[in-house]
Amino acid sequence: MKKLILFTLATVASFTINAQVATPQASPASKLEQKVGLTDVTLEYSRPSVKGRQIFGGLESYDKIWRTGANKNTMITFSDDVTVAGTDIKAGTYAIFTKPGKKTWDVYFYTDTENWGAPKEWDASKVAAKATVEAFEVPFNVETFTIDINQITNSSAAIEIIWEKTYIAIPFEVPTDKKVLASINDALSGTPTAQDYYKSAEYYLEEEKDIKQAKEWIDKSISMTEKPAFWQLRKQSLIYAKAGDKKGAIELAKKSMAAAKEAGNAQYVKFNEDSLKEWGAM
């Protein structure tokens, strides 16, 4: 029994010695994944907090290269070739370094991503793109360093950085139009479905392309659909209106409204009512 007790105590002591204290990170890691058009964008960075300190012009000096966060350098990955500040860069992963200023920031997309902080020796040949953007003062304090992707359209977005009382935005463009047009061409050159025609027409409407072509495609889609839904008829009416066929648009809006009432969708009923008023039919 004595030997057993000693063995048990030794085992407990071993577990105690090997245990590690777990504490929160001062600058927790964050990962953001965002779809822009058809392009996947991923941001990986660490998030320090103000903690009562002066950040820009204090902790982070003006006009000095900054890792744009804490710990390992901030990284961004694009699944497609993109355009940043008028410069085309290849799909891949880049470190985001910045040089904060009082009125403007320089933002660098750097091909070497394996740095803990800023590179010991800056290599200009590794700068894939550089943007100079305006720095705005915000009327409140942002405690934790934040990077987000906002201002999203089908073909563009902005990388937004905000911390303490400073905000900047770096716009970029993605090749959505090129990819969608290739997709439309491939689908409609084969054996297109009603959905293929519908999505093609919808894209042409949204991007203000050839509206006559959009009208042809939406008509084809509806003709291939046994019982068009209220939202499909709604889209058809909008394309007709854009194409200048107000009479046809009104007729379709009324059909869409009736179908929406039958489906119990009050939102689409209102959409159609608003359009019919706009087109002088109510």
Side-chain angles (χ1 to χ4, degrees):
M1 177 64 76
K2 185 177 181 181
K3 289 183 178 180
L4 178 60
I5 293 171
L6 289 173
F7 173 77
T8 303
L9 290 173
T11 303
V12 172
S14 175
F15 281 125
T16 303
I17 291 170
N18 292 333
Q20 295 181 339
V21 176
T23 60
Q25 289 184 325
S27 302
S30 180
K31 184 175 182 178
L32 169 68
E33 296 179 338
Q34 178 64 57
K35 178 80 77 173
V36 180
L38 298 175
T39 301
D40 294 315
V41 184
T42 304
L43 271 166
E44 297 175 80
Y45 70 107
S46 293
R47 305 186 64 190
S49 294
V50 175
K51 297 180 179 178
R53 302 171 293 184
Q54 180 185 349
I55 301 301
F56 301 114
L59 180 66
E60 304 302 338
S61 302
Y62 287 129
D63 303 318
K64 182 179 179 181
I65 294 292
W66 178 42
R67 75 183 82 185
T68 320
N71 303 326
K72 185 180 179 181
N73 50 256
T74 289
M75 295 190 297
I76 189 166
T77 301
F78 300 107
S79 64
D80 294 307
D81 298 353
V82 301
T83 303
V84 179
T87 300
D88 296 333
I89 63 175
K90 296 294 184 182
T93 302
Y94 300 87
I96 297 180
F97 293 111
T98 50
K99 186 183 288 185
K102 291 182 179 181
K103 294 185 178 180
T104 61
W105 284 31
D106 290 334
V107 183
Y108 304 89
F109 292 77
Y110 203 71
T111 57
D112 180 2
T113 61
E114 295 303 315
N115 293 282
W116 190 268
K120 291 181 180 179
E121 293 186 11
W122 186 258
D123 186 345
S125 69
K126 294 180 179 180
V127 177
K130 175 188 173 184
T132 299
V133 297
E134 187 175 357
F136 297 92
E137 183 178 353
V138 295
F140 51 85
N141 185 71
V142 178
E143 175 66 20
T144 304
F145 177 70
T146 301
I147 307 179
D148 204 351
I149 297 174
N150 288 313
Q151 305 178 45
I152 298 170
T153 71
N154 284 341
S155 58
S156 65
I159 303 162
E160 296 186 333
I161 296 175
I162 188 168
W163 196 23
E164 194 184 25
K165 292 184 178 296
T166 299
Y167 163 88
I168 68 165
I170 309 104
F172 65 94
E173 298 173 2
V174 295
T176 303
D177 197 56
K178 180 180 178 181
K179 295 182 73 173
V180 172
L181 293 181
S183 175
I184 289 173
N185 183 63
D186 288 345
L188 301 192
S189 296
T191 308
T193 64
Q195 181 71 350
D196 290 328
Y197 283 116
Y198 182 88
K199 292 179 73 174
S200 299
E202 182 179 46
Y203 183 76
Y204 265 46
L205 173 65
E206 290 178 356
E207 296 301 309
E208 298 186 346
K209 293 185 179 294
D210 187 345
I211 197 64
K212 290 183 179 179
Q213 181 65 79
K215 187 171 182 288
E216 180 181 324
W217 284 337
I218 197 70
D219 286 346
K220 183 69 174 176
S221 174
I222 296 299
S223 71
M224 295 170 68
T225 305
E226 184 176 349
K227 185 180 178 181
F230 58 86
W231 48 269
Q232 292 172 314
L233 294 168
R234 165 71 177 167
K235 190 69 64 177
Q236 190 179 24
S237 73
L238 293 176
I239 290 173
Y240 270 55
K242 186 73 173 179
D245 185 352
K246 185 179 287 187
K247 182 179 179 181
I250 290 170
E251 182 181 343
L252 288 165
K254 288 179 179 179
K255 289 182 179 179
S256 175
M257 186 165 64
K261 286 180 179 179
E262 183 181 349
N265 192 302
Q267 185 180 50
Y268 268 79
V269 171
K270 187 176 188 309
F271 285 162
N272 284 294
E273 286 178 344
D274 290 344
S275 291
L276 288 168
K277 288 177 183 177
E278 179 185 345
W279 300 333
M282 286 187 72

